[in-house]
Structures are given as structure tokens and as C-alpha cells.
Amino acid sequence: MTESPLPRGVTLIAPGSDSGTGKTAVAVGIARALRRQGIPVDPFKATSVVETTHRPGQPLQVYERGVFQNCGAAGVPVRWWNNPLVAATDGNGSGQLYVCGEPLGEVPIFGQDSLDLRALPVDVRSRCLDAVAKALAVLADRGAFVLIEGSGGAGNQPARADLANDAVPLRAGLPVVLVGNVNQEGTWRACRVCSARATAG
């Protein structure tokens, strides 16, 4: 994933994986504000973990659920390049992995809502990295403002194992905003980790 950085956009990551950190709320707010100003927006999540349960009134394919709020705020349909890797889980520690919308097989879930590249077989890891690279290439060609949302918490995994919060931000080359709830445990530790990575970067 060494291609040229994306032309414009921002990356939002959180210091912790607990729900309520605010990444999605901030992403939705930014997308809605830019849309009101007539600026095209492409939401992007490299990886997401969604529940397998179907919610009434939500006629979405399981692999579309990771960014449906973000894409709705941006006024664009969910496409594979908005969220190339989705794991659907019932909370048992594993999930069905979808790559570019196609089911690939069961994978372990790291923490509450992340994928650990180290835990994937080499061929699956390669397909995942390739899918994310292709998605970023599509976004670059489209030329819209790219609104990247991380997955889980930055600093929860070793840097090179964390596709959404480490590899993608480095590849995208966009400003990174750390979104956190100061009342949640671990926020300041993760801020130090993120700061150290950025300095070493």
C-alpha cells in the first residue's frame, strides 16, 4: 500500500474501542455539513464489524451496514469501495468476512469491532490488503472529499496489524483527527501511542 496519497479529505480515529467514542457521530456531522455546501463526499471505512441481526426498516445487505449512516449523510449509496472489508458477527468472537461485498469465510474478531491482520491466513490477508488498496484507488479517481473513519481504537493492536488505524491513514496521507471521550478509560494512553506513531511516522 505505497501508492500516492489521496488528494483531499480527513481521517477520524478513536483512542478506544468502547462504543460512544464519537467517531461515527463526527463523521456523519462532517459529511452532512459538506453536502449542504455542495461538496461531494465519499465516506470510507477500511474495516467494520456489524451484527448479523436484521433490524426492521433497514433493507440493507449485511455488508452495507458498516457505513450506511455515513453514506446517508453524504447522500451517496453504499458501494463496495466505501467499506471493502466487513465482518458480520453474532458476538461469539468470530464473524463472516465480506471482501468487496462477497463472502469469504469465518475470521476472528479482535476486541469488540476490529480485525487483526496477524490472525488471518496469508492468502486472506493478501486479499484484504488488495481490496483496501483498490478501494482507495477508486476513491482517488472519484475526486470527492474522502472522509475516513477508523475501526476500534488506535493503539489497541500493534501498528502493522492495525489496517484501519495505522496502514490506511499512512497510505491515505490525510490529516488525522483523534476523536475521544475523555471520560473513557484508556483515552490518554492511546493519545500518547498515537502521538508517538505520528512523530515516528
Side-chain angles (χ1 to χ4, degrees), residues 41-48 63-68 70-72 74-86 100-101 131-132 134-136 138-139 142 144-149:
V41 179
D42 265 326
F44 178 76
K45 285 187 76 170
T47 67
S48 63
Y63 55 83
E64 296 177 316
R65 296 183 194 166
V67 290
F68 78 93
N70 311 53
C71 288
V76 296
V78 179
R79 303 295 189 199
W80 71 266
W81 57 77
N82 298 116
N83 193 183
L85 308 178
V86 180
C100 301
V132 171
K134 286 180 179 177
L136 291 172
V138 170
L139 294 172
R142 286 170 58 82
F145 185 96
V146 181
L147 184 53
I148 298 175
E149 182 181 338

Side-chain angles (χ1 to χ4, degrees), residues 12-76:
L12 307 176
I13 60 175
S17 59
D18 295 333
S19 61
T21 53
K23 290 193 309 288
T24 300
V26 172
V28 166
I30 292 172
R32 189 170 291 142
L34 291 173
R35 180 184 178 191
R36 286 176 179 165
Q37 296 178 47
I39 299 172
V41 179
D42 265 326
F44 178 76
K45 285 187 76 170
T47 67
S48 63
V49 177
V50 300
E51 296 178 0
T52 55
T53 53
H54 178 71
R55 299 176 184 174
Q58 189 181 74
L60 296 170
Q61 298 293 330
V62 67
Y63 55 83
E64 296 177 316
R65 296 183 194 166
V67 290
F68 78 93
Q69 292 174 315
N70 311 53
C71 288
V76 296

